[in-house]
Amino acid sequence: MSEIEDLEIQLLLEALFQRYHYDFRHYARASIKRRLIQARLHLGFATISAMQDRVLHDASMLPRLLDFLTVQVSEMFRDPTYFKALREKVLPHLRTYPSLKIWIAGSSTGEEVYSLAILFKEEGLYDRTIFYATDINPEALAAAEAGVYTIDRIRKFTENHQKSGGKSSLSDYYTAAYGRAAFDKSLRDRVVFSDHSLVTDAVFAEMHLISCRNVMIYFDRPLQDRAIGLFRDSLTRKGFLGLGSKESLRFSSHAGAFTDFVPGEKIYQRREP
Amino acid sequence: MSGTPIQAVAIGASAGAVQALLAILPALPASFSLPVLVVVHVPPDRSNMLVPLFQSKCRIKVKEAEDKEPVENGVAYFAPSDYHMLVETDGCVALSTDEPVNYSRPSIDVLFESAADYYGSALAGVILTGANHDGAAGLKAVADVGGVAIVENPDGAYASAMPTAALEATPSARIMSHDQIVFFLSSLGTAR
Ligand SMILES: C[S@@+](CC[C@H](N)C(=O)[O-])C[C@H]1O[C@@H](n2cnc3c(N)ncnc32)[C@H](O)[C@@H]1O
């Protein structure tokens, strides 16, 4: 029973890759399985194979499945000490450059993008920076570009922002109406949102900072290593890489290319080649 | 119930967890030879006091689980707060920030279901005290693959809801006191 399901999952992932070039084949399988079983129940299919049949022949099924296969859980200033470390330790270095490029890989519905935009505004670096926000989920990218969140999330966002050493009030950056908070256009006029996969796409050149948080945790070890190699090749000399609080370079074959810049916050710096 | 030797132990606990685990984990002998995977419901942000506490009390090695680390025998792995802990299909532990399950992250169900998938009948699952229903579906998954299902006696538990829910889902589970759990686990993990 379970073995058949494992086989069906493998075939479905292969089908998604061959038909749509979405490659989940090397994602951590146990959690993919959980989410595909949820998808099957939620979308009302008797088997994973039936779900595969549908998504192969009906492309409108793909976004629905992507919502299960990708995890859109985010928060503004998630892990406030990470943003505090960026503010206090990394931005003083970035300040020495006349122009900056920042890549937020796996930006989900935008919370991390707006957090960094606010941080850069507060520190007076926003106007010299271009932000690249990338993800594989088109609906998440669209939500990120819209920058609208339900109002019940704002309290936590505000608390996190304060803990990150925020110098302004979060309420300066959004307007609230009808139970929603819409973040200001001026936080995204220097943000480029685009579709990019850490699994199948190539490097982004000459970044000063790459923030990729809680994305690689969904990959198996070899795929994590590929992504880290991609980051290494996308950074400028002495550029910075920030990961999620339970992610690290420790097990990567590329670990030697980085120094542990803020130990404990998973902020690394590219060594001089 | 099958004759497969047990290869791993999964433990889930919620309200009253610290006292219950203090009665069990420090009592395991230094020679205990199975991995122990532990999910405790702790509020996010106020976590990892548990790991140093149990490190100072236990004879077996205790650590916070890291993403994609191989599971070793004789080591107790605690799920970090605000992350699910799963057993991956290659036997590593993995962490995830998926949505909370049963309002919980880490969730006992998530650990038990993935561990049951990997270990099958070679898994022992233990549900301890708690005031919610997390772990009931997970323990059933353990029993369904032929693993050993154990529930703390609700009568003696600090909070009876979780063991009661687990027993409703898996009536065949063995009901044990803390001392009996220690005895049972020790017999699994040293007679090899
Ligand atoms: C849990 S969210 C992380 C959001 C944000 N970075 C944070 O830490 O709050 C993971 C995101 O990674 C995206 N993702 C998954 N696989 C990816 C890939 N191969 N390349 C780029 N992004 C990916 C998902 O679509 C999702 O939006």
Side-chain angles (χ1 to χ4, degrees):
Chain A
M1 168 65 198
S2 179
E3 279 108 74
I4 296 176
E5 200 161 55
D6 290 343
L7 176 59
E8 289 178 290
I9 288 170
Q10 194 180 326
L11 294 172
L12 169 65
L13 298 182
E14 193 60 42
L16 286 175
F17 177 61
Q18 304 246 342
R19 170 90 166 87
Y20 298 109
H21 287 275
Y22 277 99
D23 191 355
F24 295 100
R25 294 173 301 172
H26 296 283
Y27 281 49
R29 190 56 67 87
S31 80
I32 283 281
K33 180 171 181 178
R34 246 198 109 74
R35 282 179 270 124
L36 281 177
I37 290 172
Q38 270 169 14
R40 179 179 76 67
L41 295 171
H42 187 88
L43 301 172
F45 291 103
T47 60
I48 303 271
S49 308
M51 197 155 74
Q52 173 187 322
D53 181 56
R54 173 70 81 78
V55 73
L56 274 179
H57 295 284
D58 174 3
S60 72
M61 200 57 205
L62 180 65
R64 317 219 32 206
L65 214 50
L66 279 183
D67 276 343
F68 285 93
L69 285 165
T70 65
V71 177
Q72 308 302 330
V73 179
S74 193
E75 218 173 71
M76 280 181 78
F77 297 95
R78 179 181 195 167
D79 309 313
T81 54
Y82 170 80
F83 289 90
K84 195 162 199 282
L86 286 181
R87 186 191 299 273
E88 291 172 357
K89 309 250 164 72
V90 175
L91 266 55
H93 288 262
L94 297 186
R95 202 177 285 291
T96 61
Y97 294 93
S99 70
L100 292 166
K101 296 208 286 186
I102 309 295
W103 178 15
I104 301 118
S107 53
S108 186
T109 39
E111 291 84 341
E112 191 182 348
V113 181
Y114 291 98
S115 308
L116 286 168
I118 289 169
L119 172 61
F120 275 60
K121 282 222 163 174
E122 287 177 340
E123 299 297 327
L125 293 178
Y126 181 82
D127 292 327
R128 67 172 91 161
T129 305
I130 297 181
F131 299 85
Y132 298 89
T134 63
D135 205 282
I136 56 168
N137 185 320
E139 288 180 358
L141 276 171
E145 198 155 2
V148 177
Y149 305 102
T150 55
I151 205 87
D152 57 308
R153 302 181 64 200
I154 292 294
R155 177 211 281 257
K156 179 75 176 167
F157 292 180
T158 304
E159 199 181 297
N160 286 351
H161 174 233
Q162 289 308 312
K163 286 190 195 153
S164 79
K167 292 179 175 166
S168 51
S169 163
L170 194 67
S171 59
D172 297 345
Y173 301 102
Y174 63 83
T175 40
Y178 308 109
R180 283 162 196 284
F183 277 80
D184 218 78
K185 277 205 286 295
S186 70
L187 292 174
R188 58 175 170 270
D189 55 9
R190 304 191 59 80
V191 184
V192 180
F193 294 91
S194 67
D195 183 357
H196 179 278
S197 170
L198 296 173
V199 181
T200 47
D201 292 326
V203 294
F204 256 65
E206 297 293 296
M207 295 293 150
H208 297 87
L209 165 66
I210 299 173
S211 190
C212 180
R213 313 196 67 217
N214 307 302
V215 183
M216 288 199 306
I217 202 167
Y218 292 100
F219 297 173
D220 70 13
R221 277 270 166 89
L223 196 53
Q224 291 181 350
D225 223 36
R226 179 194 194 270
I228 293 165
L230 201 63
F231 296 147
R232 182 200 55 202
D233 296 341
S234 302
L235 283 170
T236 57
R237 280 176 62 239
K238 307 188 93 176
F240 296 91
L241 171 64
L243 304 179
S245 62
K246 299 298 171 198
E247 295 165 329
S248 87
L249 297 186
R250 200 143 68 81
F251 306 104
S252 165
S253 64
H254 304 297
F258 294 89
T259 56
D260 208 347
F261 188 73
V262 188
E265 293 301 340
K266 308 298 163 74
I267 298 174
Y268 301 88
Q269 186 176 32
R270 176 92 168 85
R271 278 183 208 276
E272 309 231 19
Chain B
M1 187 101 335
S2 76
T4 328
I6 296 297
Q7 285 171 13
V9 179
I11 302 181
S14 188
V18 175
Q19 287 313 313
L21 287 169
L22 279 173
I24 296 170
L25 295 179
L28 296 177
S31 60
F32 188 73
S33 64
L34 304 177
V36 186
L37 304 162
V38 187
V39 163
V40 177
H41 294 157
V42 280
D45 307 335
R46 184 169 66 80
S47 56
N48 310 338
M49 306 311 292
L50 286 179
V51 170
L53 172 69
F54 283 92
Q55 275 169 341
S56 70
K57 305 258 182 210
C58 289
R59 284 172 282 181
I60 60 171
K61 184 175 167 194
V62 175
K63 72 185 298 278
E64 185 177 282
E66 291 180 75
D67 185 46
K68 317 275 154 43
E69 81 173 306
V71 169
E72 283 177 32
N73 287 329
V75 180
Y77 298 88
F78 278 72
S81 79
D82 219 19
Y83 285 80
H84 292 301
M85 176 168 76
L86 299 88
V87 178
E88 257 308 325
T89 45
D90 59 359
C92 286
V93 277
L95 306 178
S96 103
T97 57
D98 281 20
E99 292 79 1
V101 172
N102 305 315
Y103 307 100
S104 306
R105 191 171 58 202
S107 147
I108 303 167
D109 280 347
V110 171
L111 170 66
F112 278 39
E113 287 168 10
S114 62
D117 225 27
Y118 179 73
Y119 289 106
S121 59
L123 178 70
V126 185
I127 298 294
L128 300 174
T129 169
N132 57 74
H133 293 182
D134 193 21
L139 193 73
K140 183 170 185 309
V142 174
D144 285 348
V145 294
V148 178
I150 298 165
V151 175
E152 170 174 0
N153 190 338
D155 293 339
Y158 174 87
S160 62
M162 206 164 83
T164 304
L167 280 171
E168 272 164 23
T170 310
S172 63
R174 307 188 195 181
I175 302 170
M176 296 187 189
S177 67
H178 292 160
D179 289 344
Q180 288 168 322
I181 292 170
V182 169
F183 182 76
F184 183 77
L185 294 184
S186 302
S187 73
L188 290 178
T190 45
R192 269 147 46 93

